[in-house]
Amino acid sequence: MKVILTVLGYVCCVVGVVLSGSELGSFEDFTVIEKQKEGLLSLVENDKAASPVSSKPLMVPLTLIQGAASTGAVCLDGTLPGYHLHRGYESGADSWLIQLEGGGWCNTIRNCVYRKTTRRGSSKYMEKELPFTGILSNKPEESPDFFNWNRVKIRYCDGASFSGDGGNEAAQLVFRGQRIWLAAMEELMSKGMQKASQALLSGCSAGGLASIIHCDEFRDLFPKTTKVKCLSDAGLFLDAIDVSGGHTLRNLFEGVVTLQGVQKNLPKSCINKKDPTSCFFPQNLIANVKTPLFLLNAAYDAWQLQASLAPRSADPHGSWDDCKSNHARCNSSQIQFLQDFRNQMLSAVRDFSRSSQNGLFLNSCFAHCQSERQDTWFAADSPLVKNKGVAESIGDWYFDRVQVKAIDCAYPCDNTCHNLVFK
């Protein structure tokens, strides 16, 4: 399946601010999935009939964490952080699924100041309710293993994967991601999570990175008798060379870590051996996560291709534009570059995958965030690896039904992908 996205105006014109390629890379709002929500991209599906949707998705209201300001746990602009909670019932009444929202990062004063004017930096602009789809769905036919759990989406308004701690008075910015994480956990524990018999911390993209960074902290909230695992969806950001031979993502991450005071909140097991920026890259963290962890990722991650491998700053003449917009238009040397990227991803997870408690689902698709969207999470034509879809694979791993180490063959062998295509 192709998912075709039509841009209704170039990004800089839409948001009214001129952004360089590297700055564009720091705003995940400018990625395909976020733009669907913004209405700046229209979505069309073809090549396969769309799966039937049982009914409208559940809409879950926003709750602000009223006590958060007393500990300084606030968004970039000082407003209260928030979450959306839908209660579990029956067999899922004591089970908790926590999803950390994604949405890029801000790595300079300038783009953090801009971010304050969006839902990614202020609860003033957050949607008052959100649809719970994919892994968050309340319908057994849409999320068979987790539909009746307590399901929570924690909103992302700090710009450093819930891990910064600092501020900039002159720009009226506060970087409090770590405190937001702690305030959200305290709030949810008081709402019944402390009695959980099983819990899963998940997140997509920047939230997927956050779920890796905070995984062991999450485990430590509960007694040993509680079953606790973590899921990172599209969070495997690689410290890779871009198409110009530069380090676009490393430069971006260095800005985030330095500006937002992230170092003090990164795992000591990494900081003792590597520089702080390296310790913001999942490939240097996953081997030391003690809690069972599942990595769900597209081998040709659409966000990384767009924003860190071939951004305009690394490709000023636009020789990658066709390939970035539609993988079918990549030439042979571009495909080879992308195969090398996939090989780096396989290398990054090699040691991680040897542990029996960990899980993997790496499909050879041009996609990003596959647990949040119903069509990729669980539908009649969802992506498969070894004849098994995303939802079934994660369920099998979480409930210890079977080990899951699903690694797809290389592009173009997989015809079940829901590839993102920009028009």
Side-chain angles (χ1 to χ4, degrees):
M1 173 185 274
K2 290 181 188 171
V3 178
I4 299 182
L5 301 143
T6 307
V7 182
L8 306 181
Y10 186 63
V11 169
C12 68
C13 310
V14 172
V15 299
V17 61
V18 178
L19 298 170
S20 70
S22 61
E23 287 173 314
L24 184 62
S26 68
F27 285 99
E28 199 149 353
D29 293 47
F30 301 154
T31 68
V32 51
I33 290 163
E34 295 307 322
K35 283 301 172 199
Q36 286 171 226
K37 297 172 187 170
E38 295 281 13
L40 300 176
L41 293 179
S42 60
L43 180 144
V44 182
E45 296 182 340
N46 69 6
D47 284 5
K48 292 184 183 178
S51 304
V53 177
S54 59
S55 60
K56 289 182 179 177
L58 174 74
M59 300 301 293
V60 181
L62 173 68
T63 301
L64 296 179
I65 304 175
Q66 295 301 332
S70 64
T71 60
V74 292
C75 300
L76 286 171
D77 69 337
T79 53
L80 293 173
Y83 63 92
H84 304 252
L85 162 64
H86 189 251
R87 291 282 183 182
Y89 61 92
E90 294 178 355
S91 62
D94 295 326
S95 300
W96 288 75
L97 167 62
I98 310 300
Q99 189 186 54
L100 300 175
E101 185 179 36
W105 308 270
C106 63
N107 61 327
T108 66
I109 294 292
R110 183 184 175 207
N111 60 31
C112 288
V113 167
Y114 168 73
R115 195 178 175 99
K116 279 200 303 183
T117 67
T118 75
R119 68 187 190 281
R120 295 284 180 257
S122 170
S123 56
K124 283 193 296 189
Y125 304 105
M126 289 178 185
E127 303 91 332
K128 296 300 180 273
E129 54 179 18
L130 280 183
F132 270 25
T133 59
I135 194 171
L136 293 175
S137 174
N138 65 326
K139 305 177 182 73
E141 66 273 20
E142 292 182 356
S143 188
D145 283 312
F146 306 108
F147 71 95
N148 64 350
W149 284 32
N150 297 281
R151 299 165 334 283
V152 185
K153 184 158 202 162
I154 300 177
R155 299 305 295 268
Y156 178 38
C157 65
D158 64 277
S161 288
F162 296 90
S163 61
D165 194 58
N168 185 291
E169 281 188 38
Q172 295 182 300
L173 287 167
V174 276
F175 305 126
R176 299 290 170 76
Q178 178 72 20
R179 297 190 208 188
I180 291 171
W181 156 259
L182 292 170
M185 292 302 103
E186 183 178 357
E187 168 99 344
L188 294 172
M189 292 299 267
S190 75
K191 300 276 185 187
M193 192 169 74
Q194 64 186 18
K195 297 175 182 172
S197 58
Q198 45 192 9
L200 174 62
L201 175 67
S202 77
C204 152
S205 200
L209 170 56
S211 70
I212 294 171
I213 291 171
H214 291 298
C215 183
D216 286 337
E217 285 178 67
F218 186 67
R219 161 72 269 184
D220 291 342
L221 293 172
F222 302 96
K224 286 188 168 57
T225 51
T226 306
K227 184 186 190 82
V228 181
K229 297 189 179 186
C230 306
L231 163 65
S232 173
D233 176 9
L236 193 55
F237 297 98
L238 296 185
D239 189 4
I241 304 292
D242 63 38
V243 296
S244 71
H247 293 84
T248 295
L249 193 56
R250 171 166 278 271
N251 293 339
L252 168 61
F253 276 8
E254 184 175 16
V256 176
V257 170
T258 305
L259 178 68
Q260 297 218 31
V262 170
Q263 176 176 350
K264 62 178 83 73
N265 296 317
L266 293 172
K268 299 290 181 285
S269 56
C270 182
I271 288 292
N272 291 339
K273 299 174 188 170
K274 296 182 181 289
D275 64 278
T277 302
S278 293
C279 295
F280 204 58
F281 279 99
Q283 65 201 70
N284 300 317
L285 300 174
I286 54 177
N288 291 315
V289 175
K290 297 189 281 291
T291 308
L293 174 62
F294 193 103
L295 299 177
L296 164 62
N297 230 92
Y300 312 99
D301 184 276
W303 187 89
Q304 292 187 68
L305 172 56
Q306 293 278 334
S308 70
L309 294 178
R312 178 61 76 222
S313 57
D315 179 35
H317 302 298
S319 60
W320 275 78
D321 286 0
D322 281 352
C323 178
K324 281 197 303 183
S325 65
N326 186 343
H327 59 91
R329 296 185 193 148
C330 298
N331 63 37
S332 58
S333 64
Q334 289 169 333
I335 290 294
Q336 187 54 56
F337 183 89
L338 295 174
Q339 300 295 22
D340 290 344
F341 177 76
R342 173 180 175 270
N343 288 337
Q344 290 175 62
M345 190 173 289
L346 296 182
S347 176
V349 302
R350 190 168 293 127
D351 289 344
F352 167 87
S353 67
R354 291 192 179 113
S355 169
S356 60
Q357 70 176 15
N358 294 331
L360 269 179
F361 190 100
L362 300 184
N363 54 346
S364 291
C365 302
F366 292 78
H368 188 69
C369 287
Q370 299 179 90
S371 66
E372 294 187 340
R373 285 178 35 187
Q374 197 58 51
D375 66 305
T376 46
W377 170 250
F378 190 72
D381 63 345
S382 291
L384 305 173
V385 176
K386 299 174 184 172
N387 294 315
K388 191 183 293 187
V390 174
E392 186 184 356
S393 298
I394 289 169
D396 281 351
W397 162 79
Y398 185 87
F399 295 104
D400 303 305
R401 296 190 289 244
V402 64
Q403 283 198 30
V404 180
K405 303 288 168 62
I407 297 178
D408 213 349
C409 47
Y411 174 83
C413 73
D414 189 337
N415 62 4
T416 69
C417 289
H418 290 208
N419 292 311
L420 299 175
V421 178
F422 301 81
K423 191 175 178 182

